[in-house]
Amino acid sequence: MNSLDFDARHLWHPYTNVLDPGPMHLITDAEGVWLTREDGTRMIDAMSSWWCAAHGHRNPAITNAMQAQLQRMPHVMFGGLTHQPAIDLGRKLVELLPTGLDRIFYSDSGSVAIEVALKMAVQYQMALGNTGRTQFATIRGGYHGDTWKAMSVCDPVNGMHGLFSGALSIQHFLPCPPISFDQEWTDDTTLNGLDALEELLETKSDQIAALILEPVVQGAGGMYFYHPKWLQRAQKMCKAHDVLVIFDEIATGFGRTGELFAMHHAAVVPDIVCLGKALTGGHITLAATITSENVARRIGESEAGVLMHGPTYMANPLACAAAIASLGQLSARDWRTEVHAIADQMKHELAPARGLPGVADVRVLGAIGVIEMEQWVDPSIAHALAPDTGVWLRPFARNIYCMPPYIITPEELSRVTSAMVSLVRSMS
Ligand SMILES: *Cc1c(COP(=O)(O)O)cnc(C)c1O
């Protein structure tokens, strides 16, 4: 059996029907923006392998740091033991994040970082004697991962609520903030959508531990960009009702939206933030949940005392070494200029899609470009076209989108945008 046949017969792929996996590419090499197939065909990774490879694949600074760490200590447990990579990464994160986010819990994937954040919020509320506050509020259109509690705060329509209804915890869903990033803000709460949050907090805040959302940019749940002012107002309201605010910056962190963190667009500091994906520049899995000294202290002083979580591979030294080097890449290059140049070029080159049949909207924020279609897009069409266009795209739901590595050249980016536009054309 050849490799692709074995794969089709024995391996699961994400969100893929085992009986009809569609076109599959065997990748043997990844360097910079390029993925190389077994037959030598090359494709630009326009997805940064799902938001991760911000500095390109096999980035020498990152792989060198990993190799050095590999020689010394790939892993040790974190219970009762500590190590320099965890400490050095911690220093960097505390330095990069706004003041007030300074207590770090490492874990091994984004979904787990979300689980930890939700647990932190509930334990914090318990510590204050608010034992009834075990539920969460969130906005529609969100995506927070695939584990059970994370799934329960994903969009109830686009997410997995239909399939798993009855098995998921009931949460409180607010309408998606109706004013988009580029629209004019108004403080009229019936127009800006905050009336729903106000009502929820006034009637049910004694059941709610925290509001969790992706700041400004909603990723897999809808690729939607909403007005940062919504976050400012929402945070004030939550504070008044002792509801914590959790920001999921797993996709948006490390420059992707044109600010180092999406929270900077709103100048809001949440009580808890989750990081992942581009944390290691796409070289190895690592995530972090970071909170304030106040939240950590309350949990410490509570009856339970300890935060009830501890992944086996917590603070994996190899992953921490990759993350330190990846953050080093952010400061070594001018990521802000790179991301803004990508945004400008995408705005220009994706604009022609606006008039094409079947297109609902075209939008760009930072190094994220989206063509929203009126109908669901079959990813297989993009997968099949990729070797010919030389661009790897993976549409999801109604969105054909890209978030290329920041190191992409203008010529390479033009290939990406023209592949996106020709994908739209091929569907009509
Ligand atoms: C990818 C993602 C997650 C889940 O991260 P995993 O590492 O896939 O578990 C959570 N939230 C957001 C916003 C994401 O984009």
Side-chain angles (χ1 to χ4, degrees), residues 73-89:
M73 180 171 69
H75 185 66
V76 285
M77 64 186 280
F78 209 52
L81 304 177
T82 193
H83 48 77
Q84 211 58 44
I87 295 164
D88 291 346
L89 177 58

Side-chain angles (χ1 to χ4, degrees), residues 272-287:
I272 302 173
V273 67
C274 298
L275 304 176
K277 290 200 163 115
L279 176 57
T280 65
H283 287 64
I284 189 169
T285 183
L286 182 68

Side-chain angles (χ1 to χ4, degrees), residues 25 32 41 79 101 107 110 136 155 159 162 175 188 196 259 270 316 380 382 404:
H25 305 285
T41 319
L101 289 170
S107 59
F136 297 91
D155 184 85
D188 181 331
E259 293 286 346
N316 173 253
S380 297

Side-chain angles (χ1 to χ4, degrees), residues 51 109-112 114 143-146 214 219-220 248 250-251 277 285:
W51 310 89
S109 79
S111 303
V112 175
I114 296 290
Y143 175 75
H144 299 288
D146 292 350
E214 298 152 282
D248 177 351
I250 291 164
K277 290 200 163 115
T285 183

Side-chain angles (χ1 to χ4, degrees), residues 3-345:
S3 297
L4 279 172
D5 288 341
F6 182 91
D7 183 287
R9 178 99 178 258
H10 293 285
L11 305 187
W12 294 94
H13 284 266
Y15 294 101
T16 302
N17 188 329
V18 291
L19 303 179
D20 179 22
M24 189 65 65
H25 305 285
L26 181 57
I27 302 299
T28 52
D29 193 288
E31 185 176 24
V33 301
W34 295 98
L35 306 176
T36 306
R37 292 201 321 175
E38 192 192 25
D39 65 357
T41 319
R42 299 205 312 158
M43 311 184 285
I44 296 172
D45 185 358
M47 311 304 289
S48 291
S49 280
W50 276 338
W51 310 89
C52 296
H55 315 298
H57 292 281
R58 208 182 343 133
N59 178 292
I62 302 173
T63 54
N64 287 342
M66 290 177 77
Q67 254 147 15
Q69 185 58 42
L70 195 54
Q71 300 305 319
R72 214 168 296 134
M73 180 171 69
H75 185 66
V76 285
M77 64 186 280
F78 209 52
L81 304 177
T82 193
H83 48 77
Q84 211 58 44
I87 295 164
D88 291 346
L89 177 58
R91 280 191 213 278
K92 283 216 173 212
L93 289 173
V94 167
E95 194 184 294
L96 284 180
L97 286 163
T99 316
L101 289 170
D102 41 27
R103 188 59 85 147
I104 303 162
F105 191 104
Y106 294 117
S107 59
D108 32 25
S109 79
S111 303
V112 175
I114 296 290
E115 298 289 333
V116 170
L118 299 175
K119 230 183 239 187
M120 254 180 209
V122 169
Q123 280 199 240
Y124 168 81
Q125 296 291 0
M126 281 177 178
L128 297 184
N130 300 325
T131 47
R133 291 189 182 234
T134 55
Q135 296 178 342
F136 297 91
T138 188
I139 55 178
R140 287 175 185 269
Y143 175 75
H144 299 288
D146 292 350
T147 51
W148 283 102
K149 205 68 169 180
M151 225 164 44
S152 76
V153 288
C154 290
D155 184 85
V157 180
N158 289 333
M160 291 157 277
H161 286 254
L163 189 58
F164 294 115
S165 68
L168 289 178
S169 326
I170 304 297
Q171 312 293 10
H172 302 278
F173 289 95
L174 300 160
C176 192
I179 303 179
S180 71
F181 190 87
D182 293 324
Q183 284 174 325
E184 193 146 343
W185 177 256
T186 167
D187 271 319
D188 181 331
T189 57
T190 56
L191 295 175
N192 65 27
L194 282 158
D195 52 350
L197 178 60
E198 203 159 42
E199 195 196 320
L200 177 67
L201 291 173
E202 269 159 23
T203 54
K204 300 207 171 118
S205 62
D206 59 342
Q207 303 166 25
I208 299 172
L211 169 70
I212 176 167
L213 38 76
E214 298 152 282
V216 182
V217 171
Q218 291 186 302
M223 300 302 297
Y224 172 64
F225 314 144
Y226 63 90
H227 206 290
K229 280 259 185 334
W230 196 96
L231 294 170
Q232 286 179 359
R233 305 293 188 271
Q235 192 202 32
K236 270 211 187 92
M237 292 159 70
C238 286
K239 201 167 199 144
H241 288 90
D242 300 318
V243 168
L244 294 183
V245 173
I246 303 170
F247 280 179
D248 177 351
E249 292 241 21
I250 291 164
T252 51
F254 309 108
R256 180 56 67 181
T257 69
E259 293 286 346
L260 187 57
F261 295 103
M263 66 176 107
H264 293 337
H265 289 287
V268 168
V269 182
D271 300 285
I272 302 173
V273 67
C274 298
L275 304 176
K277 290 200 163 115
L279 176 57
T280 65
H283 287 64
I284 189 169
T285 183
L286 182 68
T289 307
I290 302 133
T291 191
S292 64
E293 188 54 28
N294 176 48
V295 169
R297 181 167 292 271
R298 291 289 179 161
I299 293 172
E301 289 166 354
S302 69
E303 203 184 316
V306 302
L307 179 70
M308 292 291 186
H309 213 97
T312 305
Y313 279 91
M314 185 167 180
N316 173 253
L318 191 55
C320 289
I324 294 163
S326 181
L327 296 180
Q329 284 297 287
L330 269 184
S331 45
R333 295 197 328 275
D334 187 357
W335 63 268
R336 195 183 290 271
T337 304
E338 290 172 348
V339 168
H340 285 267
I342 292 170
D344 288 344
Q345 190 181 339

